[in-house]
Amino acid sequence: MSYINRQLAKDSESPKKNIFAIAAPTFSDQRSSTTTQLKQQQMLSATKILHLADIGGRGIAPVQLQNYSKTVTRPAGFNRHNWPASLSSGGSKADSSIASDVNETLVALGWTGNLMSAHMIPNRIGGKGNNSNVRPWLRSFEENTWEKEVEKKFDQDLENANVGDALTYNVDTTDMTDIEADSILAGGGIKTSDSKYSSHKNRLKKIPTSVSANGKGPYTECMPKEPWSFLKKLGVVGGILLGAAGIASLFL
């Protein structure tokens, strides 16, 4: 090939090189755009998380359930005094902050914060210790009525069952209404203009007004017990939580 032809061949390749040189920055810009979109999505997610945290008080928690159920199979050699690890798989210790947050609200209302974080589905049959399975209620109720009348009976039923039998642990709770929660907060002197009003209300509503399990109950000892002045504020007569009308009648 002559010198002129070789030079023409080189010149014909030059535009291709220029195309790639120009395209490179375009590719870089596309990546930058994708990164920006990702950051925007992350910021939006963070905003949603902060909003949820503001609604639910401390931490981010799932919506509290009212009904709980767990089915377990009776293993061979079961002994309720020597609980098999296979049944408690997936269970966890109760998150103490669930009750401590509610106790903080009770103290703000002028009451003693004496509630504990209680498992609905027991830890020993795989009950989670988070907000989806834990409710705050009186320790005396947990250690006496609940453990002795509800959990003990289930343990005995499991021990009496045949190997391979499936037993279901069911718990149903009744939550206070918005009107009842508002009445309690009003009785405790907390105004709707209070910056923590929504947080106090959401915490208070975690305390079940009644609870039953496997045909036992309903029990109403979940609410804090205090002298009559406290009961008057709370609007409780004979273990029944009253609404606004009931509270008004107490002061007549």
Side-chain angles (χ1 to χ4, degrees), residues 125-252:
I125 59 171
K128 299 290 186 182
N130 59 26
N131 196 62
S132 68
N133 184 54
V134 172
R135 304 295 292 269
W137 64 38
L138 287 165
R139 183 175 299 278
S140 58
F141 172 68
E142 168 74 16
E143 296 177 348
N144 292 287
T145 304
W146 193 252
E147 289 185 358
K148 293 177 181 178
E149 295 185 15
V150 176
E151 294 188 358
K152 183 178 179 181
K153 182 181 182 301
F154 182 80
D155 296 350
Q156 290 175 334
D157 290 344
L158 195 58
E159 191 171 47
N160 295 334
N162 296 318
V163 175
D165 284 352
L167 280 79
T168 301
Y169 191 104
N170 285 308
V171 176
D172 295 304
T173 63
T174 302
D175 294 346
M176 69 177 71
T177 65
D178 285 330
I179 291 176
E180 290 168 334
D182 289 332
S183 297
I184 293 171
L185 291 172
I190 296 181
K191 300 182 181 299
T192 55
S193 58
D194 191 307
S195 61
K196 293 185 177 180
Y197 188 88
S198 294
S199 179
H200 284 314
K201 183 174 178 178
N202 289 331
R203 290 174 178 180
L204 198 61
K205 289 179 67 176
K206 290 182 182 297
I207 309 171
T209 58
S210 69
V211 60
S212 59
N214 294 77
K216 302 287 289 182
Y219 302 105
T220 57
E221 294 89 346
C222 308
M223 300 296 290
K225 291 190 175 180
E226 297 287 342
W228 172 241
S229 60
F230 158 77
L231 295 177
K232 212 168 184 181
K233 286 182 180 179
L234 185 60
V236 177
V237 177
I240 301 174
L241 184 65
L242 304 177
I247 287 182
S249 68
L250 291 176
F251 293 89
L252 297 177

